[in-house]
């Protein structure tokens, strides 16, 4: 289950001498350079609302990424009214989940905003529904488990997505195993518990009836997930029509059929879950309730988790030692900006194995249960408590990036090559050195005290002049600490 109210920022583990250093959980910086200086723009992938999406190559890492380009003169009034790009970025900075598209940074020039993100090679979930080939019920179950996990995670953070649809659900790659990546937070809002949302938003097929003409809660997302489940199992939407008006009028009637040829082979449990999600708001299941539905319990997670990765995660969790604040900050930066999704994949799979209740976070209970698979319960509890001791976090729960920081092998993160790339990325103005100001810009946030970053460098280099050159940077991070 959830870990209580989570803070947007986390404390990076520091040695005792260093002042408390805070970095954003999700490092999405506003880049001071021009988009075209950092990226080679590629072909257009598609158009979404008032933005277009293109492939692009990140020049320093050679990584293929996607960029969403917003033309300032095309921003619609309702987008601006609901907080515009500022709110979208704020939300993206709050979220850190393996099934949400990873965002790297954003740029602004006279005409456009650019948000760069991971490139999802598998295309849209929508294409899976449109093909003739029917998905097996266990595959649909895997997809829904991931989707509901994201919804549970977002709602716990008081974020409503408000535009869940198969076009916004991308697939990480073309593998058999479908790894979802939820994209497009253009309609998302931060809500206050107990206060209703306003404004008709979303796409007619997936829109909850209460969204159409009244106030509503975050549970509009669970309704959309029910529509998606219905479509994945049958290939058709539950509410149809020849135009938006007709579709919406059928949505409002809330009548749908689970009979007919398409549902002949669908299990009663799956049909029951559809009914629980396509309910009036007051009786509709929450994502957390849906995740403990019998349908999921009778279709256990199918993961090809390699024993070697499981052992490595356990070993790294148990033996994690905090080091200097500089090293922790650079680790976080490299994981966030340089390690590829492909390299992270085996670790992501272990994350969802440990996160037993699938709420997108690893809490103490999850960790004890995981350790207890290979040791007695008392030892498991002690090991779990040790992990959180290193975290310096009151919430006692690991979000995805923190989990990666603790579990990815140091040799993979802190390789010479990655350190050179990291240095060059941090040295934005190419002066040949990295200063406290540059670290704060990339890893911290502007409201932070620059003296903390100066102390971080001082602690590492034992000098007060406040900047590091490449050979020293590598020497410090590879060997000394
Ligand atoms: O225009 P279509 O529907 O083909 O799948 C998204 C959509 O494609 C694609 O860009 C279009 C507008 O949203 N898209 C969005 N983000 C993407 C990403 N991170 C993406 N494709 C790959 N990776």
């Amino acid at each position: 289950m959830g870990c209580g109210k989570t803070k947007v920022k986390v404390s990076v583990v520091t040695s005792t001498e260093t002042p408390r250093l805070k970095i954003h959980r999700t490092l999405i910086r506003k880049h001071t350079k021009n988009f075209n200086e950092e990226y080679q723009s590629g072909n257009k992938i598609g158009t979404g609302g008032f933005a277009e999406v293109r492939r692009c190559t990140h020049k320093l890492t050679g990584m293929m990424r996607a960029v969403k380009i917003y033309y300032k003169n095309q921003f619609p009034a309702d987008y601006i009214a609901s907080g515009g790009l500022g709110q979208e970025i704020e939300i993206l900075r709050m979220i850190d989940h393996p099934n949400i598209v990873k965002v790297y940074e954003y740029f602004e020039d006279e005409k456009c905003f650019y948000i760069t993100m991971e490139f999802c090679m598998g295309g849209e979930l929508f294409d899976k529904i449109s093909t003739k080939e029917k998905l097996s019920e266990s595959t649909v179950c895997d997809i829904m488990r991931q989707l509901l996990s994201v919804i549970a995670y977002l709602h716990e953070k008081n974020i409503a997505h408000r535009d869940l649809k198969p076009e916004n659900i991308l697939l990480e790659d073309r593998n058999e195993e479908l790894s979802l990546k939820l994209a497009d937070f253009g309609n998302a809002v931060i809500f206050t518990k107990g206060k209703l949302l306003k404004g008709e938003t979303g796409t007619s097929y997936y829109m909850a009836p209460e969204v159409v003409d009244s106030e509503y809660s975050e549970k509009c997302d669970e309704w959309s997930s029910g529509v998606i489940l219905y479509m994945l199992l049958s290939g058709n939407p539950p509410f149809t029509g020849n135009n938006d008006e007709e579709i919406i009028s059928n949505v409002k009637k809330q009548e749908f059929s689970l009979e007919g040829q398409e549902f002949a082979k669908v299990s009663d449990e799956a049909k029951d879950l559809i009914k629980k999600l396509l309910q009036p708001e007051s009786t509709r299941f929450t994502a957390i309730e849906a995740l403990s539905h019998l349908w999921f319990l009778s279709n256990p997670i199918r993961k090809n988790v390699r024993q070697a990765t499981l052992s490595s995660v356990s070993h790294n969790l148990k033996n994690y030692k905090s080091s200097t604040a500089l090293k922790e900050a650079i680790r976080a930066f490299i994981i966030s900006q340089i390690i590829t999704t492909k390299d992270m994949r085996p670790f992501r799979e272990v994350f969802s194995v440990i996160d037993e209740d699938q709420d997108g976070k690893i809490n103490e209970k999850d960790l004890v249960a995981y350790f207890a698979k290979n040791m007695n319960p008392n030892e498991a509890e002690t090991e779990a408590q040790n992990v959180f001791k290193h975290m310096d976090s009151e919430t006692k729960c690991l979000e995805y990036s923190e989990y990666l920081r603790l579990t990815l092998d140091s040799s993979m993160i802190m390789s010479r090559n990655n350190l050179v790339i990291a240095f060059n990325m941090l040295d934005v103005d190419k002066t040949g050195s990295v200063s406290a100001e540059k670290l704060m810009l990339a890893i911290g946030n502007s409201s932070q005290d620059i003296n903390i970053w100066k102390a971080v460098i001082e602690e590492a280099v034992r000098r007060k002049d406040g900047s590091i050159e490449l050979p020293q940077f590598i020497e410090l991070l590879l060997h000394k600490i």
Side-chain angles (χ1 to χ4, degrees), residues 45-48 51-53 66 101 117-121 123-124 167-168 170 183-184:
I45 310 169
T47 324
E52 68 177 38
V53 180
V101 168
M117 57 190 154
E118 70 180 293
F119 176 66
C120 300
M121 291 219 278
E124 295 170 8
E167 293 90 324
N168 282 341
L170 306 177
D184 202 345

Side-chain angles (χ1 to χ4, degrees), residues 36-99:
N36 291 308
E37 287 176 72
E38 297 292 307
Y39 286 85
Q40 178 76 47
S41 192
N43 60 313
K44 190 161 144 182
I45 310 169
T47 324
F50 46 95
E52 68 177 38
V53 180
R54 287 183 172 272
R55 279 185 199 229
C56 59
T57 309
H58 183 238
K59 290 181 185 171
L60 271 173
T61 55
M63 276 161 92
M64 196 203 301
R65 292 181 180 169
V67 57
K68 193 169 171 187
I69 306 174
Y70 295 84
Y71 291 91
K72 290 180 182 175
N73 61 2
Q74 288 175 22
F75 276 144
D78 57 348
Y79 181 72
I80 296 171
S82 67
L85 197 73
Q87 160 135 312
E88 195 172 335
I89 300 279
E90 189 189 343
I91 289 175
L92 291 170
R93 280 196 171 134
M94 288 166 71
I95 51 186
D96 176 20
H97 187 286
N99 297 115

